[in-house]
Structures are given as structure tokens and as C-alpha cells.
Amino acid sequence: MEPLPTLAEIESAKALIRPLIRETPTYRWPLLERDLGCELWLKHENHTPVGAFKIRGGLVYMDELRKLDPSVRGVIAATTGNHGQSIAFAAKRNDLRAVIVVPHGNNPEKNAAMRSLGAELVEHGREFQEALEHSRELAGREGLHAVPSFHPWLVRGVATYALELFRFVNDLAAVFVPIGLGSGFCGVAAAREALGLKTKIIGVVSAHAPAYALSFKSGQFTEQSSTTRVAEGVACKTPHPDALAHILRHAHDVVTVSDDEALDAMREIIQATHNIAEGSGALAHAALKKHRASWKGQKVACILSGGNASTSLLREAFNR
């Protein structure tokens, strides 16, 4: 298991990304708090140049890659959207070719966004795992560096949002954070450990992509196919061993949220804050609402990890 980044490493990542990414807002929203019975702080990672937290890790990864291999000419990644936008954005900044592989039926707005950032988009397979396997074949065939969806460099960049959160809001009892492959959770854990805090970390997954929740409950690696149609950003079938090891060590709990609960949370966030939350971005708030009795009277944060929702999904959220 790779160690979590240190405070010095997170600070270095913050200095690297700051010219391109300003500190994202952390706000209280009375309409969201109204029925929760707790003090809620929402970390707005939808306020980045690609509308999601992943960009932080992509910039750090590409910087390290160029230093390690100055001769690299192109990169490839598999994604359902936000990781692909991150890699496309960072590759363009470093004059690298970017090939992004997505499953068929992927969010069309995310596909368009990746193309607008200069990515060559390849559609393959029915789910993320099939897209990932195809990306590895293409990497060897075309001489591209394969960027993983979980890596210590990615965690180091992502940890910068957690550092911002913990320095802005003191004495948080808990942070709810979505888990896709695990970089977001590990970034929060890294910042908490680096600052010596006691804040509990609750990971949130889709009830229709429960691999990490099942693994956490059993204490061992468990695969489970994803059937979520709302929270594609957490559509994980196969947990990453390093991420799982950190989750088993640092998570207070890993809870699940259904697609219907995610849709309701999307609508509530939009109505209360006039910010868009994609399905996975709404999971943290949905989980807090579901478990609000446990946090009554306490100070809690939720990570709005991204706002790249498709028009059709937004329509469905509002028509419920």
C-alpha cells in the first residue's frame, strides 16, 4: 500500500495548481440545513474549470509524468467523464496528445466537454471496466502512456480540496465524500491525517455500485457489477487494492445511496443553492440526509464532487 501524501506534498501540489484553480467555495446553505438538524458545509468542487474535483489530480499527475519521462508524447485514460476531462485539460496544458476511452451510452455532455478540451474520444464496451481494458490495449498499440484512475499523484492533487476545507472550517465532526475508485476519499484522509484532526470520514457509494461498501463491511476485497444509471462517476465494479486498504483503515463508515435518493438530492441542491450537482456529486448530501439522526446538532461537511449532469438527468430529477 502506497502511503498517503504528507502535508508538504499536499502544499506543493496546491502551489502547482493554484495558477489555474482558485480555492473552491465552502458555503452553508440554510435551505439545505433546514431539515437536517445539523450545521452543514458544502464544498463546491463543481467550481473548477472542468466542473469537478478530478482536475486537481490530473494537473499533478501530468507534471510528474513530464519530469519522469520528458519524451512522452501522449496519454490515454478510461473514464465515464470527469477523470477524462481532467486528463484532457492537463494534457493540453502540457502539449500532449490525449485519447479518452468511454463506454457506449456515456453522458453526452461529458463526451462533448472532453472533445472540446482536445481529447480524441473512443467509445467501447458497455461499462467502465470494458472501456478500461480496451484503453490498455490501445496504449500498447499506439505508444501512449496509460493514466490510471487511481494513483498516488492523483491523490496528492485531490487532497488539496480537503486541505482547503479543513483550514476553512474548524472542528468538523464528519465529512461525507463520494467514492468512485477512491482518490477523493484518500485525499480527504490524507489531509485529515496531515493536519492531525479527528474528523470522521464517511464514504458514500451508489447502492447500485456497492463494491466498496461490500468490501468495507466484509473487511476484504469484493467485486460487484455496477447498474447505476444516475451516478456514473462512482460506477465502480472492481475496488483498487491501495484505495481499499486506506478506506478500511480511515473510514468511519461506507454507506449507500439509491439512484432515486441521488435524484432527489440533485433537485434539492439545485433548488437550495442554484448549483448543479451531478448524480455522484449529490451522493454526499443524500447520505447525510439519510443518516441525519446520527449527526444532529453537529458540524458536518459534504463534498459536492462535480456538477456535470446531463440535461436528461436534470430533467428527470425535476420531474420526480
Side-chain angles (χ1 to χ4, degrees):
M1 178 177 67
E2 290 280 348
L4 293 173
T6 65
L7 181 58
E9 289 173 328
I10 303 171
E11 293 278 19
S12 176
K14 185 177 75 170
L16 173 70
I17 69 173
R18 187 55 72 233
L20 296 171
I21 306 171
R22 301 181 66 180
E23 180 169 334
T24 56
T26 305
Y27 293 141
R28 289 180 66 183
W29 296 97
L31 285 175
L32 286 184
E33 286 184 337
R34 184 175 55 186
D35 299 322
L36 293 175
C38 65
E39 180 179 318
L40 168 62
W41 291 87
L42 202 62
K43 180 61 168 167
H44 283 277
E45 285 300 288
N46 57 315
H47 286 223
T48 75
V50 301
F53 76 101
K54 293 278 191 178
I55 189 173
R56 298 169 180 265
L59 288 167
V60 172
Y61 190 99
M62 218 61 65
D63 181 71
E64 292 290 346
L65 176 63
R66 291 302 299 264
K67 289 188 288 189
L68 184 69
D69 182 9
S71 66
V72 66
R73 292 292 176 263
V75 295
I76 187 169
T79 185
T80 57
N82 290 338
H83 177 57
Q85 289 184 69
S86 164
I87 297 308
F89 183 96
K92 189 173 184 178
R93 295 286 305 181
N94 285 273
D95 297 319
L96 296 174
R97 177 189 178 199
V99 178
I100 306 296
V101 185
V102 301
H104 287 289
N106 195 53
N107 181 325
E109 280 89 344
K110 288 185 178 180
N111 289 353
M114 286 183 278
R115 289 192 176 101
S116 74
L117 291 166
E120 301 168 34
L121 205 71
V122 176
E123 295 182 86
H124 182 89
R126 295 163 298 172
E127 61 179 15
F128 171 76
Q129 193 64 30
E130 294 177 4
L132 176 62
E133 291 165 6
H134 186 63
S135 73
R136 289 168 177 165
E137 294 175 11
L138 288 178
R141 191 186 311 164
E142 301 199 22
L144 299 168
H145 174 88
V147 181
S149 298
F150 183 89
H151 190 278
W153 295 345
L154 298 175
V155 173
R156 191 190 312 168
V158 168
T160 59
Y161 85 63
L163 190 66
E164 294 170 7
L165 171 65
F166 288 132
R167 285 182 168 165
F168 190 79
V169 187
N170 296 320
D171 303 320
L172 281 168
V175 176
F176 285 73
V177 56
I179 299 176
L181 207 53
S183 65
F185 179 96
C186 290
V188 174
R192 182 193 68 177
E193 295 301 296
L195 295 172
L197 304 176
K198 302 299 182 184
T199 305
K200 294 180 173 66
I201 309 174
I202 294 89
V204 189
V205 301
S206 170
H208 315 285
Y212 273 108
L214 295 173
S215 298
F216 181 78
K217 300 303 182 189
S218 67
Q220 58 188 6
F221 177 90
T222 305
E223 283 190 316
Q224 181 66 50
S225 293
S226 167
T227 59
T228 179
R229 60 182 183 78
V230 171
E232 74 271 10
V234 297
C236 173
K237 172 187 176 182
T238 305
H240 189 281
D242 277 5
L244 178 58
H246 287 302
I247 289 167
L248 291 174
R249 181 175 180 180
H250 296 290
H252 175 70
D253 201 358
V254 178
V255 299
T256 63
V257 169
S258 71
D259 278 354
D260 284 347
E261 290 166 334
L263 285 167
D264 288 341
M266 288 174 63
R267 185 189 68 251
E268 289 164 8
I269 289 169
I270 295 169
Q271 289 174 327
T273 76
H274 296 164
N275 280 261
I276 293 176
E278 61 188 88
S280 55
L283 290 184
H285 174 65
L288 173 59
K289 183 180 177 182
K290 189 174 182 177
H291 298 277
R292 60 188 178 275
S294 300
W295 304 101
K296 191 172 182 179
Q298 300 188 62
K299 188 187 297 186
V300 181
C302 288
I303 309 303
L304 199 172
S305 56
N308 297 315
S310 68
T311 304
S312 61
L313 200 61
L314 291 171
R315 187 178 299 114
E316 182 176 354
F318 274 100
N319 285 340
R320 283 180 56 77

